Structure formats: C-alpha cells, structure tokens
Amino acid sequence: MKFLIINGPNLNMLGLREPGIYGDRSYTTLCQLCEDWCAEEGIECELFQSNHEGVIVDKIQEAYGKVDGIIINPAAYTHTSVAILDALKAVAIPTMEVHISKVSEREAFRQISFVSYYAVKTIQGMGFEGYREAIRALKKWLQS
Ligand code: DQA
C-alpha cells in the first residue's frame, strides 16, 4: 500500500509559524514522524509540500494509478481551492483531509473546506498526531 502525503502553503514554516496554533516542531520533524507512522503500518509513503496551488494540482494528477491513498493538509487552499477539489475528484484516489489546528473553532473564513466535499474524513485539532490518525484511518478504510 502506498500513500502520498501532501502539505500545502506555509506548512514548510512549521516551528516558526504561529507556534501557539501550530506548535514548535518543524516540517522536517513532521515528515520524519509521518515516515515512521507509515512504516509502522507497513505503508510506503511519499511526502510532498508546495506553496503553489497549480503545483499541488499537478502532483495529484501525477499520482493517478501510482498511489492507493492521499493524505492532504491543503492549508490555506482548503478554504479557496476548487482546483484541488476537482483534481482529487478527477483521479478518484481515496483521500483523508488533515488540519493541525481546530479549524472549526477559528475564523469564519476557515469554516468552508472545498476538499471536504471529496475527502473520506476530516481530522482536525489533533496537532501532528492527526496525520497518524489519518494514516491509520485511511488504511482501515481501504481494507474494509
Ligand atoms: C491548517 C488550517 C488552515 O486554515 C491554515 O490556512 C493552514 C493550516 C491547519 O493545519 O490547521 O495553513 O490547514
């Protein structure tokens, strides 16, 4: 089983970026944890981060036929990107949406998620642990 883990804009700034909301651990640490958590579940994983919407769309399209599942934190594009939603629908790869913070308790503009119209499930407010939850939940969903 192979997963593609996509992180959107500004998540490369984890550790520096609003630590009161996103914590003080870095994107490199998040990648290491995701690799470990996938290995524990016997899952091969590819990690990808971009600050550019079209580059994320290209990456999703390239994943067609190559991965069994996608875990995505679209970051700010969560709330704006029909293009990322349409790319996920186009490739029809089962997808879990993750947010480090509890977006449902934040600003009004964060209350819409386009990706959630396609995602199997949305995990939010669990910090980095949310990715572990997403890896396990997506594996379980694919096996059921
Ligand atoms: C985020 C929440 C988004 O609203 C925000 O734009 C992000 C990160 C999260 O992981 O909590 O960049 O997706």
Side-chain angles (χ1 to χ4, degrees), residues 6 8 13 17 20 29 39 48-49 54 66 87 115 121 132:
I6 300 174
M13 298 289 282
R17 176 190 183 200
T29 300
F48 179 79
Q49 191 277 329
K66 294 189 188 133
V115 165
K121 195 177 166 187
R132 179 184 224 165

Side-chain angles (χ1 to χ4, degrees), residues 16-65:
L16 296 173
R17 176 190 183 200
E18 298 182 271
I21 297 175
Y22 300 111
D24 56 11
R25 292 184 293 174
S26 68
Y27 177 67
T28 308
T29 300
L30 176 64
C31 290
Q32 190 56 62
L33 287 168
C34 287
E35 275 171 5
D36 293 348
W37 291 328
C38 281
E40 276 169 27
E41 298 295 330
I43 294 161
E44 192 188 335
C45 83
E46 180 182 347
L47 289 143
F48 179 79
Q49 191 277 329
S50 176
N51 294 324
H52 305 279
E53 184 177 20
V55 175
I56 295 171
V57 168
D58 288 344
K59 189 70 188 175
I60 292 167
Q61 290 184 6
E62 283 162 19
Y64 179 74

Side-chain angles (χ1 to χ4, degrees), residues 9 11 17 22 73-76 78-79 98-101 103 106 110:
L11 291 170
R17 176 190 183 200
Y22 300 111
N73 182 347
T78 306
H79 319 299
V98 183
H99 300 286
I100 294 166
S101 65
V103 279
R106 296 182 64 192
R110 296 187 205 273

